[in-house]
Amino acid sequence: MATLRLGDTAPDFEQDSTEGPIAFHQWAGKHWVVLFSHPADFTPVCTTELGRTAALAGEFARRDVKPIALSVDPVESHRAWVGDIQETQGATVNFPILADADRKVATLYDMIHPNSLANATVRGVFIIDPDKVIRATLTYPASTGRNFDEILRVIDSLQLTDAYKVATPANWQAGEDVVIVPSLQDPAELAQRFPKGYRVVKPYLRMTAQPHR
Ligand code: BEZ
């Protein structure tokens, strides 16, 4: 199993889920995907994470992102747990949870880190673009619930880069000024892309208002 790196194609797979069997690439279609693993069903941090993802359904949809969760529990367990998430987190799980009891996907994506957590997946996140390219990854330990607003922020940054050739500075939040990518040097293209202008702090540090996304 090769390590997956940014820029690699997200491996395809077929696996069962709470929404029936999933052929990953076909299911993803031409959408962005957030594939995220959690250690186990019926555990406290995981329950809050899946509830938070469900509550953010509108934010994911607005960015054309399909979330898909995974743990190495069987599908009957997932289906029973979904009721608890609805009850305790007040949100309906409206995305599939992969039932990876045979660890096929966990192994393919190197989601089990036995020196951190034996026999279960850590909190892995793979942000995958519509061409199936892995654009960002995060790995958290079992004891730390992820910040799903941060995952949305990373997606905003990636989508801005793709559409407008801008990058986002440290601690950037939506609506704040962005950075023009260093590779963009042609004066005519700069004028065409940023008609309202930009600020040259240093020749390599050029700030501009966030383009509309
Ligand atoms: C949790 O989701 O709360 C959890 C899962 C595995 C280990 C520690 C915490």
Side-chain angles (χ1 to χ4, degrees):
M1 176 205 56
T3 306
L4 291 176
R5 294 179 172 164
L6 303 192
D8 290 351
T9 298
D12 198 13
F13 57 80
E14 291 182 13
Q15 186 55 286
D16 200 10
S17 84
T18 47
E19 297 185 4
I22 283 188
F24 183 57
H25 280 192
Q26 189 183 7
W27 173 85
K30 289 303 283 179
H31 304 276
W32 288 75
V33 169
V34 173
L35 168 63
F36 65 106
S37 57
H38 58 274
D41 297 352
F42 299 104
T43 51
V45 177
C46 300
T47 300
T48 62
E49 286 194 325
L50 269 74
R52 189 71 198 131
T53 307
L56 289 170
E59 294 299 320
F60 284 110
R62 194 162 71 75
R63 293 162 174 83
D64 192 27
V65 179
K66 295 174 81 171
I68 182 166
L70 174 151
S71 73
V72 294
D73 298 298
V75 76
E76 307 77 46
S77 165
H78 286 340
R79 290 205 174 111
W81 181 41
V82 157
D84 281 7
I85 297 169
Q86 163 94 53
E87 179 191 328
T88 63
Q89 309 301 306
T92 304
V93 174
N94 43 13
F95 51 86
I97 309 173
L98 291 164
D100 198 40
D102 63 4
R103 303 172 175 207
K104 180 164 61 175
V105 183
T107 303
L108 197 57
Y109 280 77
D110 195 21
M111 290 164 161
I112 296 176
H113 300 193
N115 292 331
S116 174
L117 185 64
N119 301 321
T121 44
V122 292
R123 300 188 192 282
V125 181
F126 292 81
I127 299 176
I128 300 165
D129 75 13
D131 293 325
K132 316 287 185 296
V133 174
I134 297 172
R135 298 289 298 275
T137 60
L138 299 169
T139 308
Y140 278 39
S143 52
T144 305
R146 287 159 286 197
N147 183 334
F148 287 81
D149 293 331
E150 170 63 5
I151 293 171
L152 291 170
R153 193 187 76 93
V154 174
I155 293 164
D156 284 345
S157 173
L158 291 167
Q159 293 184 346
L160 278 171
T161 303
D162 287 357
Y164 300 108
K165 293 198 181 181
V166 294
T168 54
N171 289 25
W172 173 84
Q173 295 293 333
E176 294 177 357
D177 285 357
V178 296
V179 167
I180 298 173
V181 295
S183 61
L184 187 48
Q185 292 293 336
D186 176 43
E189 188 177 356
L190 281 162
Q192 178 253 317
R193 285 187 175 276
F194 307 107
K196 292 185 188 155
Y198 55 91
R199 203 159 38 89
V200 181
V201 183
K202 289 281 182 188
Y204 58 83
L205 175 55
R206 300 165 300 174
M207 306 296 297
T208 191
Q210 181 195 313
H212 181 69
R213 186 171 58 83

